[in-house]
């Protein structure tokens, strides 16, 4: 099954969480997201993160 749309929605939600938590703009939060470990974790279907909440995914956030 292709989870592309679900992953895109989750990524968007996680970026919003980063923005709110770090008190930065959505653009800055997007930069932080794409520089972190999250995109590779979310892209890997073996992690099963596509079935988790944005909050759970954000809890795995590790800046690089």
């Amino acid at each position: 099954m292709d989870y592309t749309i679900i992953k895109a929605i989750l990524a968007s939600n996680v970026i919003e969480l980063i923005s709110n938590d770090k008190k930065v703009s959505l653009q800055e939060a997007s930069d932080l997201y794409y520089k972190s470990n999250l995109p590779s974790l979310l892209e890997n279907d073996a992690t099963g993160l596509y079935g988790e909440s944005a909050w759970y995914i954000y809890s795995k956030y590790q800046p690089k």
Side-chain angles (χ1 to χ4, degrees):
M1 179 176 252
D2 186 14
Y3 300 103
T4 303
I5 294 172
I6 293 169
K7 291 175 185 179
I9 292 168
L10 285 168
S12 176
N13 291 343
V14 170
I15 290 168
E16 189 172 337
L17 289 172
I18 293 170
S19 175
N20 291 336
D21 188 46
K22 305 290 186 195
K23 308 286 190 265
V24 296
S25 70
L26 287 174
Q27 180 60 53
E28 290 172 290
S30 180
D31 292 343
L32 291 171
Y33 172 82
Y34 285 106
K35 290 178 183 174
S36 76
N37 63 320
L38 294 179
S40 61
L41 288 176
L42 191 55
E43 187 59 33
N44 183 351
D45 286 348
T47 65
L49 287 179
Y50 57 82
E52 299 293 342
S53 71
W55 280 107
Y56 180 80
I57 296 167
Y58 181 50
S59 75
K60 305 297 181 193
Y61 174 77
Q62 294 177 355
K64 288 185 180 177

